[in-house]
Structure formats: C-alpha cells, structure tokens
Amino acid sequence: MSELIQAVLDSNERTDLRQFASELRKRDQRYLLRNDILTAFSDYCNTYDRSEDFRQQSHLSKLIYYVQEIILEQESLCLIIRPKIANEQAYWVFEDLTIEPMTPQDLLDLRDRFVNRHHPQEGDVLEIDFEPFYDYSPAIRDSKNIGKGVDYLNRFMSSKLFQDPTQWLEALYKFLSLHRHNGTQLLINGRIQSQQQLSSQIKRAINFVSRYDTNEPYNKFRFELQELGFEPGWGNTAGRVRETLDMLDSLIDSPDHQALETFISRIPMIFRVVLLSPHGWFGQEGVLGRPDTGGQVVYVLDQVRSIEQQLQEEISLAGLDVQSAYPKVIVLTRLLPNCEDTLCNQRLEKIHATHNAWILRVPFREFNPKYTQNWISRFEIWPYLETFAIDAERELLAEFQGKPDLIIGNYSDGNLVSFLLARRLKVTQCIIAHALEKSKYLFSNLYWQDLEEQYHFSIQFTADLIAMNSANFVVSSTYQEIVGTKESVGQYESYHRFTMPELYHVVNGIDLFSPKFNVVPPGVNETVYFPYHRSEDRVPGDRDRLDKLLFTDNDPAAIFGTLDDPNKRPLFSMARLDRIKNLTGLAECFGKSEALQEQCNLILIAGKLRTEDSTDREEISEIEKLYHIIDQYNLQGKIRWLGVRLPKTDSGEVYRVIADRQGIFVQPALFEAFGLTILEAMISGLPTFGTRFGGPLEIIQDKHNGFYINPTHHEDMAEVILDFLSKCEHKPDYWKEISQRGIDRVYSTYTWKIHATKLLSLSKIYGFWNYTSQENREDMLRYIEMLFHLLYKPMAKSLLEKHMQA
C-alpha cells in the first residue's frame, strides 16, 4: 500500500491529495469512517470538477477506496488503510506531504488522544498481545481460507504424520487408547501395546473381517475382533468395520488430510455435550420475544435436536448399540426464581422431540435477591458467572455421571463460562459468538467510559478476548463474521487491534489466521418452517386463526392498528424491538414512501405495545419511537403492530399466511450477524429483503433469490422494494420465481443436518489436535488466566458492589 501512496506523491495528484486534506479540515468531523471518506471524496470531485476517469481510475481514488478511517490532528492526518482482508496499515501524512508509517502503539495512542484520554505523564497503559502464544499452531497464509480452519489443520497434521511418523503415530495410538464409554474400553484394548503392534494387528483384522458379508452385524464377530485387540467402535457391520480399519491402515502407510478427517470423524469420542446460554429466559414456552432471548433460544434448541440426532446416528454406525450407548445433551442456563409465567424456575426440563436432551437450570448465588431472583440483562450479568460456573460444574457432573466430552458456548456470557468449565474439566471448548456487541455499537471501545454505566463494555470485551483465545475452535455462521468484506471489517477482526482508553491497549487480540476459525452456518427447523404451498402439512384452523390475527382481529391488549384495506400486499417483519433490529427504521421508510403505502400494508410482530410492560431500556425507547413515527407519518389504517409472543409453530405458519397473500419479508437490521429470520422467511416461500450489513450478504444472492437493502438509506430501501413490486405487476410469475429460488437456496445449504454433521466432525478433529498440542498451549492458557484474575474479576467485583447497593 505504501507504493500506492508513493504513486500519488510522485504524480500531479499530489496537489489533489493536499487539497482533499484541506477540504477535510473544513468539515466538522475529525474522525471519518469509510462511508464519510467516500462521501467527502465525492464532494471534493464535484467541487473541483474532476473527471469521471479521475474519480474511478486515478491513484488517489484507488487509495481512497482502501482507506478505512481518517483521523485529523492539527498539523497532520492519519490514514488507516485496509489493503486487503485481515490486514491493517496506518500512516502519518504531514502538511508537507511527507509520509511515515505508524506502529500499532502510535495508532492506539492517537485514538486515545482523540477522546482526550491519553496521559503519557502517568505512564504506559497495559498492552495485551496474544501473538507470541500462537506459535504452537500452524497459520493460514491466504485470507480467503480463513474460516476453513479444519481443512488447513488436517493438512498440517497429515504432513506431520508423513514427516515425523514415529512421534505422530505414537500420539495417534495413545489417543485411540484413551476412549471409553461408561467405564468400558472402546477401539483398542491391552492386547495392542504399541503403535507398531497396532499397525500389524490392523492388517490381521482387515483380513479377518473380509471373510464376512458386508452387511453382517458386528455382534456376530465382535469377540474374535477383541482377541485381535479391537473393542467396539469400529462399525456396526463387517463392511463398516473394514472401511474404518482400511482408513487407519492407509493413514499409517501414506498420510492424507482427507483420510485423516474422515477417520477421526468416525471415532466415537463424543457422547455428552453441554451447550451454554446462561443469562436467562431460556425455555420452550413463553420466552420468545423476551429481552435478549428470542433468536438464541430458537437457535440453541434446534441445534440441540440436530446434535442429539446426529450423535445417535454416529453411535449406531460405530456399532455401540452393543454397549447400550446413547448420547445426552444438556443446555445449561440460569434458574430464574421470579420466572413470571414461564418454566424457567424448574431445575430440569426435557427438550421436546428429543430422547435424552435437557435444559438444566442453575441459580445465581443470592448476592442481592433484588437482582439474582429476577432476569438480569446481558449487560449486567458479569459478576455472577464465575460462581455460576463453579455451581454448574457440580450439577453437570451429577447429571452426566461424569465429565462432558464437548462444551459449546453461546454469546459472550456463555463463551466465558465455557472457558471456565473447559479449563477445570479439561475438555474440548467451542464458542459461537452469534453477535459481538463491539461491532454493533459504533466506537463502543473508544467511548467505553461514557457507555460504561449502561453497557459495561470494559468487562464484556475482556470476556470476549478471554473466550476467543481460550477456545479450541470457533464456529461462525459466515465468513464475514470473522473478517468482513473488502469494504468492511469483520466482527472478530475488530478485536485484533483496539484501545480501551485508560484501561488497556490490545496490540494483537486474536490471530485471524489461526486454524481455529470455521464457518458452519446454522439450519432452519424444517418441521416448523416449510414452503407455503405444502398445504398437506398445514393445519387449516391455524391458518385461519393467524390470518385473522395478522389482518382483522381487534384486540387492543395485543394489537395496535386497524387496516383500511386488509387486501393490500403485506410488507412483513418480525423481530424484537431494539435499536439494532431497526424495525422503527422500516416503519420510517414506509412512512416516507407514499408509493409503498399505496401498494402495501406494514405488518410488524415486535415485542410489547406499552412501555410500562417492559424493563429493557432499549425496548422502551423503540416503543416510544415507533408510536412517534406512526403519528408523524399518519400511518393509522396502514400498519398493524402485534405485541405478541408466538409459539414456535405459529411463527412458522405466520410466514406462510403472509406468503398466501403474496407478501414480502423485510429484515432491516442495522447489523445482522447471520439472520435466522431470513432463512425462516425464505424457506416459507417469502421473497426476502435483507440488510446488506452482515450475514444476509452470504445467504441471499442479490436479485436472484432475494434482495439486499441498505437500512440507513430509507429512499433507496423503498426503491428496491418498489422495483420488485413493479416487476411483479408486469410479470405475473415473478413473485413465484423469487419465492422458489429462496426455498431452493435454504434446502441446498442451510439445514441442521449439515450443521450438526460438520460441528461434530470439528469437535473430534480439534479434540485430537488439542490432545497432541496441549503442552504447547499451556502458556497461552496461563496468560488468559492472568487476564481473567487481574482484569476481569476486579471489574466484575466492582459491578457486583453496585448491584449490592441497588
């Protein structure tokens, strides 16, 4: 990138750079982000009558394209450039146009100065740097392979098997010797006492099992295999056993990354799984739509069902029916004594449509009953998580009658508890962030002190750093969740380098090129969400009831608004009422567009109708804002706002009822990490318009099976929707074409079967990697523990003291 800067300085565009910098100083902003910079450059070109060629092809225009931020100082400016994904560079540009590269420390100091939080006379601030601790693992070289960590790791491990076969085969032999279920030895027994003996016995076992018909049940020859040193776990039939043994034999003779992945994925090493979602309102009835919970409850419950089903399938294929082996899955959350009308005060609740999956609720210790007996916002939960982990460990060991084999954290709070439990129990840790607050709230780290009273970002961002680096592997729903796009920084990427002024500087917060990152998108529950035209699977009574609810019922306690013309095409959205989900932005877009009002009714299912019914500050603010928009744009008769919590089955039918009327679904979030509602709408057959900020960019293929919208530009958003409506008018089958392509997209890529298969395969491979590298990883874990005890705990204790005084 320095070459491009030099190209500007060596050409007659040097003057343009000076003039552009001068124009920037005339603006009110001293800190410009990418959109601000592009707008400023466009204004500059208009002011100085620059040609279209200059705007698109000049060295300066190319440089501006890569600039993510500009910070203006009195006699210089700082260019923060992102020449490629997961790569950031910073340069000083002085008044005489000399250029100097900035160190990471220079940049972080500058950001501190920008918010007047830099006091060099008081000494240096704490620096957090994880880079030295990642030398135990291989590093991905090409950013396009980020998110495919397991593929890279398999290649690395198979190359190690090839380069240093003695050490790695010894590790593989010991790893196979470890596995037991309920005290019973699996895979290999004491008759095989070394990796050399393992190799020779495999060939004998292959010859033996080849005598049997492919479909011969394992039970018929299990005792003969035991005599050769092989216990249950290789397969349920002679054909399956031979396949698995052949894989291991080939792996020993000629290591191959695909063979390694396939073989390890077959090892029966996961029977007990715990998923963490601590902060409450986790249940199956009456919780959807509660603050902070709707999306994660749906995700985790669907994930549990798919994991249990996939585990049972793998256990059966491994031939462990002879051991009466079965999986057990537990969702660990907090018990809420004051649970209102829900079951969240029950210690144990069986999960519907599962054989052995449960919600286990553990209460927070009663430091202050006013807090601990009630729901606590995700922003306030931090003081209770360490003791929760200690109490939960005891409960989990009792329920499982042993240790879990895999711990999966969800969201920042669950991810921190997953670290605490995995460290104590020494088991594989996976984290799933879903949405990181740092990306959702602009400049949240820079102005953390101003936001601390409300959000406590200092604790949360510290917890995120701890969980990200401690995890054996990280699951994200999309590639851009990790490292963004060419134009935007990813959620995890935003943790690579940042400042919390007067608290700490993060010089290297996460290694984005570590093979721990894997993209595994979630699925959609196909029993609840399915295409509207599958009439044989729909319940006519539900369809009629929900049609009335959406369009004609009059219930002031649950519904605001009566439609003047219920037959207009429905423009539908469903989400909780918070600033990021931006339903008020959709309402404002609708209010500003008379053309949309002419053709559509706006139907919203969103939280509560009255501020007095909510305890969430953001929700209260959004309720007030939505009423104001309705009045400001005179939307009475054109909008229906349902403040209802729908059972899951009803939420699926709601999409189909909207589709019956050839409606559309709009997801207007300012940022969406993934977008489960987009999958739900698409599989139901609704043409879907999704925000271009976040995960929907990878789900929707624009103008093919859905549409991108920019929720920050209301006129543009309305124009995209109106263009679709116009095409529907001129081409009667257009709505059905987009509808069917959306359905096809979900079935081909986003099912829970695909998700669970991949997740369990990852768990086994990273379990093997963790076993072989655990000694080299210990220094990182000690560093993380230090951050937990010296940073996290004092901040959490300070917040607890405030709660105790409340």
Side-chain angles (χ1 to χ4, degrees), residues 356-399:
N356 197 24
W358 305 81
I359 301 171
L360 173 64
R361 300 186 181 94
V362 176
F364 285 169
R365 294 186 188 175
E366 290 196 354
F367 295 98
N368 179 348
K370 290 180 182 178
Y371 267 86
T372 53
Q373 291 192 5
N374 298 292
W375 172 80
I376 301 172
S377 160
R378 69 187 188 277
F379 298 117
E380 303 285 337
I381 198 172
W382 306 106
Y384 310 100
L385 294 182
E386 184 180 15
T387 51
F388 173 77
I390 293 168
D391 297 341
E393 179 186 358
R394 182 174 60 251
E395 299 283 341
L396 285 171
L397 291 173
E399 286 300 319

Short mmCIF file of all heavy atoms in Angstrom, two decimals, residues 356-399:
data_model
loop_
_atom_site.label_atom_id
_atom_site.label_comp_id
_atom_site.label_asym_id
_atom_site.label_seq_id
_atom_site.Cartn_x
_atom_site.Cartn_y
_atom_site.Cartn_z
N ASN A 356 -33.00 -37.70 24.90
CA ASN A 356 -32.25 -37.50 26.14
C ASN A 356 -31.52 -36.16 26.12
O ASN A 356 -30.31 -36.08 26.30
CB ASN A 356 -31.25 -38.65 26.32
CG ASN A 356 -30.73 -38.74 27.74
OD1 ASN A 356 -31.38 -38.31 28.69
ND2 ASN A 356 -29.55 -39.32 27.89
N ALA A 357 -32.29 -35.12 25.87
CA ALA A 357 -31.74 -33.75 25.89
C ALA A 357 -32.54 -32.93 26.87
O ALA A 357 -33.78 -33.01 26.91
CB ALA A 357 -31.79 -33.13 24.49
N TRP A 358 -31.84 -32.11 27.65
CA TRP A 358 -32.46 -31.45 28.79
C TRP A 358 -32.01 -30.01 28.91
O TRP A 358 -30.89 -29.66 28.51
CB TRP A 358 -32.09 -32.19 30.09
CG TRP A 358 -32.43 -33.64 30.06
CD1 TRP A 358 -31.70 -34.65 29.48
CD2 TRP A 358 -33.60 -34.25 30.60
NE1 TRP A 358 -32.34 -35.85 29.65
CE2 TRP A 358 -33.51 -35.65 30.32
CE3 TRP A 358 -34.71 -33.77 31.30
CZ2 TRP A 358 -34.49 -36.54 30.73
CZ3 TRP A 358 -35.68 -34.67 31.71
CH2 TRP A 358 -35.58 -36.03 31.42
N ILE A 359 -32.85 -29.19 29.50
CA ILE A 359 -32.45 -27.86 29.97
C ILE A 359 -32.16 -28.00 31.46
O ILE A 359 -33.02 -28.41 32.24
CB ILE A 359 -33.55 -26.82 29.75
CG1 ILE A 359 -33.92 -26.71 28.27
CG2 ILE A 359 -33.10 -25.45 30.28
CD1 ILE A 359 -35.15 -25.86 28.00
N LEU A 360 -30.93 -27.71 31.84
CA LEU A 360 -30.52 -27.74 33.25
C LEU A 360 -30.35 -26.29 33.71
O LEU A 360 -29.55 -25.55 33.14
CB LEU A 360 -29.21 -28.51 33.42
CG LEU A 360 -28.57 -28.49 34.81
CD1 LEU A 360 -29.48 -29.18 35.84
CD2 LEU A 360 -27.19 -29.15 34.78
N ARG A 361 -31.10 -25.92 34.73
CA ARG A 361 -31.05 -24.54 35.23
C ARG A 361 -30.39 -24.51 36.59
O ARG A 361 -30.79 -25.24 37.51
CB ARG A 361 -32.45 -23.94 35.28
CG ARG A 361 -33.15 -23.90 33.92
CD ARG A 361 -34.48 -23.16 33.99
NE ARG A 361 -35.14 -23.15 32.69
CZ ARG A 361 -36.04 -24.05 32.30
NH1 ARG A 361 -36.38 -25.03 33.13
NH2 ARG A 361 -36.59 -23.98 31.10
N VAL A 362 -29.39 -23.67 36.71
CA VAL A 362 -28.65 -23.50 37.96
C VAL A 362 -28.82 -22.05 38.40
O VAL A 362 -28.59 -21.13 37.60
CB VAL A 362 -27.15 -23.82 37.75
CG1 VAL A 362 -26.36 -23.56 39.02
CG2 VAL A 362 -26.98 -25.27 37.30
N PRO A 363 -29.24 -21.81 39.64
CA PRO A 363 -29.47 -20.42 40.06
C PRO A 363 -28.18 -19.65 40.29
O PRO A 363 -27.14 -20.25 40.60
CB PRO A 363 -30.26 -20.58 41.37
CG PRO A 363 -29.81 -21.91 41.90
CD PRO A 363 -29.56 -22.78 40.70
N PHE A 364 -28.25 -18.34 40.12
CA PHE A 364 -27.16 -17.48 40.57
C PHE A 364 -27.18 -17.43 42.09
O PHE A 364 -28.24 -17.48 42.71
CB PHE A 364 -27.32 -16.07 40.02
CG PHE A 364 -27.00 -15.92 38.56
CD1 PHE A 364 -27.32 -14.76 37.88
CD2 PHE A 364 -26.37 -16.93 37.85
CE1 PHE A 364 -27.02 -14.61 36.53
CE2 PHE A 364 -26.07 -16.80 36.52
CZ PHE A 364 -26.39 -15.63 35.85
N ARG A 365 -26.00 -17.31 42.67
CA ARG A 365 -25.95 -17.16 44.13
C ARG A 365 -26.60 -15.83 44.53
O ARG A 365 -26.49 -14.83 43.82
CB ARG A 365 -24.51 -17.22 44.62
CG ARG A 365 -23.89 -18.59 44.41
CD ARG A 365 -22.51 -18.68 45.02
NE ARG A 365 -21.84 -19.92 44.65
CZ ARG A 365 -20.59 -20.22 44.97
NH1 ARG A 365 -19.87 -19.36 45.69
NH2 ARG A 365 -20.06 -21.39 44.60
N GLU A 366 -27.25 -15.84 45.69
CA GLU A 366 -28.08 -14.69 46.07
C GLU A 366 -27.24 -13.61 46.75
O GLU A 366 -27.33 -13.38 47.95
CB GLU A 366 -29.22 -15.15 46.98
CG GLU A 366 -30.26 -15.96 46.23
CD GLU A 366 -31.57 -16.09 47.01
OE1 GLU A 366 -31.61 -15.63 48.17
OE2 GLU A 366 -32.52 -16.64 46.46
N PHE A 367 -26.47 -12.90 45.95
CA PHE A 367 -25.72 -11.76 46.48
C PHE A 367 -26.70 -10.65 46.87
O PHE A 367 -26.60 -10.05 47.93
CB PHE A 367 -24.73 -11.27 45.43
CG PHE A 367 -23.66 -12.27 45.11
CD1 PHE A 367 -23.76 -13.11 44.01
CD2 PHE A 367 -22.55 -12.40 45.93
CE1 PHE A 367 -22.77 -14.03 43.72
CE2 PHE A 367 -21.55 -13.32 45.65
CZ PHE A 367 -21.66 -14.14 44.53
N ASN A 368 -27.62 -10.34 45.99
CA ASN A 368 -28.68 -9.37 46.25
C ASN A 368 -29.94 -9.91 45.59
O ASN A 368 -30.06 -9.89 44.36
CB ASN A 368 -28.32 -8.01 45.67
CG ASN A 368 -29.42 -6.96 45.91
OD1 ASN A 368 -30.53 -7.30 46.31
ND2 ASN A 368 -29.10 -5.71 45.64
N PRO A 369 -30.90 -10.43 46.38
CA PRO A 369 -32.08 -11.08 45.79
C PRO A 369 -32.84 -10.21 44.79
O PRO A 369 -33.48 -10.72 43.88
CB PRO A 369 -32.94 -11.41 47.01
CG PRO A 369 -31.97 -11.50 48.14
CD PRO A 369 -30.90 -10.49 47.84
N LYS A 370 -32.76 -8.88 44.96
CA LYS A 370 -33.44 -8.00 44.00
C LYS A 370 -32.91 -8.21 42.60
O LYS A 370 -33.62 -8.02 41.61
CB LYS A 370 -33.26 -6.53 44.41
CG LYS A 370 -34.01 -6.13 45.66
CD LYS A 370 -33.76 -4.66 45.97
CE LYS A 370 -34.46 -4.23 47.26
NZ LYS A 370 -34.19 -2.82 47.59
N TYR A 371 -31.63 -8.58 42.52
CA TYR A 371 -31.03 -8.87 41.22
C TYR A 371 -31.10 -10.35 40.90
O TYR A 371 -31.57 -10.75 39.82
CB TYR A 371 -29.57 -8.42 41.20
CG TYR A 371 -29.38 -7.02 40.68
CD1 TYR A 371 -29.49 -5.92 41.54
CD2 TYR A 371 -29.10 -6.79 39.34
CE1 TYR A 371 -29.33 -4.64 41.06
CE2 TYR A 371 -28.94 -5.51 38.86
CZ TYR A 371 -29.05 -4.43 39.72
OH TYR A 371 -28.90 -3.17 39.23
N THR A 372 -30.65 -11.19 41.81
CA THR A 372 -30.39 -12.58 41.45
C THR A 372 -31.66 -13.42 41.35
O THR A 372 -31.62 -14.51 40.78
CB THR A 372 -29.44 -13.22 42.47
OG1 THR A 372 -29.95 -13.02 43.79
CG2 THR A 372 -28.05 -12.62 42.36
N GLN A 373 -32.78 -12.97 41.88
CA GLN A 373 -34.01 -13.74 41.74
C GLN A 373 -34.80 -13.34 40.50
O GLN A 373 -35.84 -13.93 40.20
CB GLN A 373 -34.88 -13.60 42.99
CG GLN A 373 -34.26 -14.28 44.20
CD GLN A 373 -35.21 -14.41 45.36
OE1 GLN A 373 -36.39 -14.08 45.24
NE2 GLN A 373 -34.72 -14.88 46.49
N ASN A 374 -34.30 -12.34 39.78
CA ASN A 374 -35.00 -11.84 38.60
C ASN A 374 -34.12 -11.98 37.36
O ASN A 374 -32.93 -12.26 37.44
CB ASN A 374 -35.39 -10.37 38.80
CG ASN A 374 -36.35 -10.20 39.96
OD1 ASN A 374 -37.49 -10.63 39.91
ND2 ASN A 374 -35.87 -9.58 41.03
N TRP A 375 -34.75 -11.75 36.21
CA TRP A 375 -33.98 -11.71 34.97
C TRP A 375 -32.97 -10.56 35.04
O TRP A 375 -33.25 -9.48 35.55
CB TRP A 375 -34.93 -11.49 33.78
CG TRP A 375 -34.20 -11.25 32.50
CD1 TRP A 375 -33.63 -12.17 31.68
CD2 TRP A 375 -33.95 -9.97 31.88
NE1 TRP A 375 -33.05 -11.56 30.60
CE2 TRP A 375 -33.22 -10.20 30.70
CE3 TRP A 375 -34.27 -8.65 32.22
CZ2 TRP A 375 -32.81 -9.19 29.84
CZ3 TRP A 375 -33.86 -7.64 31.38
CH2 TRP A 375 -33.14 -7.91 30.20
N ILE A 376 -31.76 -10.82 34.53
CA ILE A 376 -30.70 -9.81 34.51
C ILE A 376 -30.26 -9.62 33.06
O ILE A 376 -29.98 -10.59 32.35
CB ILE A 376 -29.49 -10.24 35.36
CG1 ILE A 376 -29.91 -10.48 36.81
CG2 ILE A 376 -28.39 -9.19 35.31
CD1 ILE A 376 -28.82 -11.10 37.66
N SER A 377 -30.19 -8.39 32.62
CA SER A 377 -29.77 -8.07 31.26
C SER A 377 -28.39 -8.65 30.97
O SER A 377 -27.54 -8.77 31.86
CB SER A 377 -29.73 -6.55 31.06
OG SER A 377 -28.93 -6.20 29.96
N ARG A 378 -28.15 -8.97 29.71
CA ARG A 378 -26.84 -9.50 29.32
C ARG A 378 -25.72 -8.51 29.60
O ARG A 378 -24.56 -8.89 29.70
CB ARG A 378 -26.85 -9.87 27.84
CG ARG A 378 -26.92 -8.70 26.86
CD ARG A 378 -27.09 -9.21 25.43
NE ARG A 378 -26.99 -8.18 24.42
CZ ARG A 378 -27.98 -7.38 24.04
NH1 ARG A 378 -29.17 -7.48 24.63
NH2 ARG A 378 -27.81 -6.48 23.07
N PHE A 379 -26.05 -7.23 29.75
CA PHE A 379 -25.03 -6.22 30.04
C PHE A 379 -24.68 -6.17 31.53
O PHE A 379 -23.69 -5.57 31.91
CB PHE A 379 -25.51 -4.84 29.59
CG PHE A 379 -25.75 -4.74 28.11
CD1 PHE A 379 -27.01 -4.47 27.61
CD2 PHE A 379 -24.72 -4.92 27.21
CE1 PHE A 379 -27.24 -4.37 26.24
CE2 PHE A 379 -24.92 -4.83 25.84
CZ PHE A 379 -26.19 -4.56 25.36
N GLU A 380 -25.51 -6.80 32.37
CA GLU A 380 -25.32 -6.73 33.83
C GLU A 380 -24.91 -8.06 34.45
O GLU A 380 -24.72 -8.16 35.64
CB GLU A 380 -26.62 -6.26 34.49
CG GLU A 380 -27.16 -4.92 34.01
CD GLU A 380 -26.36 -3.74 34.55
OE1 GLU A 380 -25.71 -3.90 35.60
OE2 GLU A 380 -26.41 -2.66 33.93
N ILE A 381 -24.77 -9.09 33.64
CA ILE A 381 -24.68 -10.45 34.16
C ILE A 381 -23.29 -10.85 34.68
O ILE A 381 -23.12 -11.83 35.40
CB ILE A 381 -25.10 -11.43 33.04
CG1 ILE A 381 -25.46 -12.79 33.63
CG2 ILE A 381 -24.03 -11.55 31.98
CD1 ILE A 381 -26.08 -13.72 32.62
N TRP A 382 -22.29 -10.04 34.36
CA TRP A 382 -20.89 -10.47 34.52
C TRP A 382 -20.46 -10.84 35.94
O TRP A 382 -19.66 -11.79 36.10
CB TRP A 382 -19.98 -9.38 33.95
CG TRP A 382 -20.37 -9.06 32.55
CD1 TRP A 382 -21.02 -7.95 32.09
CD2 TRP A 382 -20.21 -9.90 31.41
NE1 TRP A 382 -21.26 -8.04 30.74
CE2 TRP A 382 -20.78 -9.23 30.29
CE3 TRP A 382 -19.64 -11.16 31.21
CZ2 TRP A 382 -20.79 -9.77 29.02
CZ3 TRP A 382 -19.64 -11.70 29.94
CH2 TRP A 382 -20.22 -11.01 28.86
N PRO A 383 -20.95 -10.21 37.02
CA PRO A 383 -20.44 -10.58 38.35
C PRO A 383 -20.83 -11.99 38.81
O PRO A 383 -20.25 -12.49 39.77
CB PRO A 383 -21.10 -9.54 39.27
CG PRO A 383 -21.52 -8.42 38.39
CD PRO A 383 -21.84 -9.04 37.07
N TYR A 384 -21.78 -12.61 38.13
CA TYR A 384 -22.33 -13.87 38.63
C TYR A 384 -21.82 -15.11 37.90
O TYR A 384 -22.16 -16.23 38.26
CB TYR A 384 -23.87 -13.82 38.54
CG TYR A 384 -24.42 -12.55 39.14
CD1 TYR A 384 -24.79 -11.49 38.34
CD2 TYR A 384 -24.53 -12.41 40.53
CE1 TYR A 384 -25.27 -10.30 38.90
CE2 TYR A 384 -24.99 -11.24 41.09
CZ TYR A 384 -25.36 -10.18 40.27
OH TYR A 384 -25.82 -9.01 40.83
N LEU A 385 -21.00 -14.90 36.88
CA LEU A 385 -20.66 -16.02 36.01
C LEU A 385 -19.62 -16.97 36.60
O LEU A 385 -19.68 -18.18 36.34
CB LEU A 385 -20.20 -15.48 34.65
CG LEU A 385 -21.27 -14.74 33.84
CD1 LEU A 385 -20.71 -14.30 32.50
CD2 LEU A 385 -22.52 -15.60 33.64
N GLU A 386 -18.67 -16.45 37.37
CA GLU A 386 -17.65 -17.35 37.92
C GLU A 386 -18.27 -18.32 38.92
O GLU A 386 -18.03 -19.53 38.85
CB GLU A 386 -16.52 -16.56 38.56
CG GLU A 386 -15.40 -17.49 39.04
CD GLU A 386 -14.25 -16.74 39.70
OE1 GLU A 386 -14.42 -15.56 40.05
OE2 GLU A 386 -13.17 -17.35 39.87
N THR A 387 -19.06 -17.81 39.85
CA THR A 387 -19.70 -18.71 40.82
C THR A 387 -20.74 -19.59 40.15
O THR A 387 -20.95 -20.74 40.56
CB THR A 387 -20.35 -17.90 41.96
OG1 THR A 387 -21.19 -16.87 41.40
CG2 THR A 387 -19.29 -17.26 42.84
N PHE A 388 -21.39 -19.07 39.11
CA PHE A 388 -22.32 -19.90 38.33
C PHE A 388 -21.58 -21.09 37.73
O PHE A 388 -22.06 -22.23 37.76
CB PHE A 388 -22.96 -19.06 37.23
CG PHE A 388 -23.81 -19.84 36.27
CD1 PHE A 388 -25.09 -20.25 36.61
CD2 PHE A 388 -23.34 -20.16 35.00
CE1 PHE A 388 -25.88 -20.97 35.72
CE2 PHE A 388 -24.12 -20.88 34.10
CZ PHE A 388 -25.40 -21.29 34.47
N ALA A 389 -20.38 -20.85 37.17
CA ALA A 389 -19.59 -21.94 36.58
C ALA A 389 -19.21 -22.98 37.62
O ALA A 389 -19.25 -24.19 37.37
CB ALA A 389 -18.35 -21.37 35.89
N ILE A 390 -18.84 -22.52 38.82
CA ILE A 390 -18.45 -23.44 39.89
C ILE A 390 -19.64 -24.31 40.30
O ILE A 390 -19.53 -25.54 40.42
CB ILE A 390 -17.92 -22.65 41.12
CG1 ILE A 390 -16.59 -21.96 40.75
CG2 ILE A 390 -17.75 -23.57 42.32
CD1 ILE A 390 -16.13 -20.93 41.77
N ASP A 391 -20.81 -23.69 40.49
CA ASP A 391 -22.00 -24.45 40.87
C ASP A 391 -22.47 -25.36 39.74
O ASP A 391 -22.91 -26.48 39.97
CB ASP A 391 -23.13 -23.48 41.26
CG ASP A 391 -22.77 -22.64 42.48
OD1 ASP A 391 -21.85 -23.04 43.23
OD2 ASP A 391 -23.40 -21.58 42.68
N ALA A 392 -22.37 -24.85 38.51
CA ALA A 392 -22.82 -25.64 37.36
C ALA A 392 -21.94 -26.86 37.13
O ALA A 392 -22.44 -27.91 36.70
CB ALA A 392 -22.82 -24.76 36.11
N GLU A 393 -20.67 -26.76 37.43
CA GLU A 393 -19.77 -27.91 37.27
C GLU A 393 -20.27 -29.09 38.11
O GLU A 393 -20.34 -30.23 37.62
CB GLU A 393 -18.35 -27.54 37.68
CG GLU A 393 -17.38 -28.70 37.55
CD GLU A 393 -16.00 -28.36 38.11
OE1 GLU A 393 -15.78 -27.22 38.55
OE2 GLU A 393 -15.14 -29.27 38.11
N ARG A 394 -20.62 -28.81 39.33
CA ARG A 394 -21.10 -29.87 40.22
C ARG A 394 -22.40 -30.49 39.69
O ARG A 394 -22.58 -31.70 39.67
CB ARG A 394 -21.33 -29.27 41.62
CG ARG A 394 -21.79 -30.26 42.66
CD ARG A 394 -21.85 -29.63 44.04
NE ARG A 394 -22.79 -28.52 44.07
CZ ARG A 394 -22.42 -27.23 44.18
NH1 ARG A 394 -21.13 -26.91 44.25
NH2 ARG A 394 -23.33 -26.27 44.22
N GLU A 395 -23.29 -29.63 39.21
CA GLU A 395 -24.57 -30.12 38.68
C GLU A 395 -24.37 -30.95 37.40
O GLU A 395 -25.03 -31.97 37.20
CB GLU A 395 -25.50 -28.93 38.38
CG GLU A 395 -25.85 -28.09 39.58
CD GLU A 395 -26.91 -28.74 40.46
OE1 GLU A 395 -27.62 -29.64 39.98
OE2 GLU A 395 -27.02 -28.35 41.64
N LEU A 396 -23.49 -30.50 36.54
CA LEU A 396 -23.24 -31.23 35.30
C LEU A 396 -22.63 -32.60 35.57
O LEU A 396 -23.03 -33.61 34.96
CB LEU A 396 -22.30 -30.42 34.39
CG LEU A 396 -22.89 -29.22 33.68
CD1 LEU A 396 -21.80 -28.41 33.02
CD2 LEU A 396 -23.93 -29.66 32.64
N LEU A 397 -21.67 -32.67 36.47
CA LEU A 397 -21.03 -33.95 36.80
C LEU A 397 -22.06 -34.93 37.35
O LEU A 397 -22.01 -36.13 37.06
CB LEU A 397 -19.90 -33.73 37.80
CG LEU A 397 -18.67 -32.98 37.27
CD1 LEU A 397 -17.69 -32.68 38.40
CD2 LEU A 397 -17.98 -33.78 36.16
N ALA A 398 -23.01 -34.41 38.11
CA ALA A 398 -24.06 -35.28 38.65
C ALA A 398 -25.00 -35.76 37.55
O ALA A 398 -25.36 -36.94 37.49
CB ALA A 398 -24.85 -34.53 39.73
N GLU A 399 -25.39 -34.86 36.66
CA GLU A 399 -26.34 -35.24 35.60
C GLU A 399 -25.71 -36.19 34.58
O GLU A 399 -26.36 -37.11 34.10
CB GLU A 399 -26.86 -33.98 34.88
CG GLU A 399 -27.85 -33.16 35.67
CD GLU A 399 -29.11 -33.96 36.01
OE1 GLU A 399 -29.60 -34.72 35.14
OE2 GLU A 399 -29.59 -33.84 37.14
#
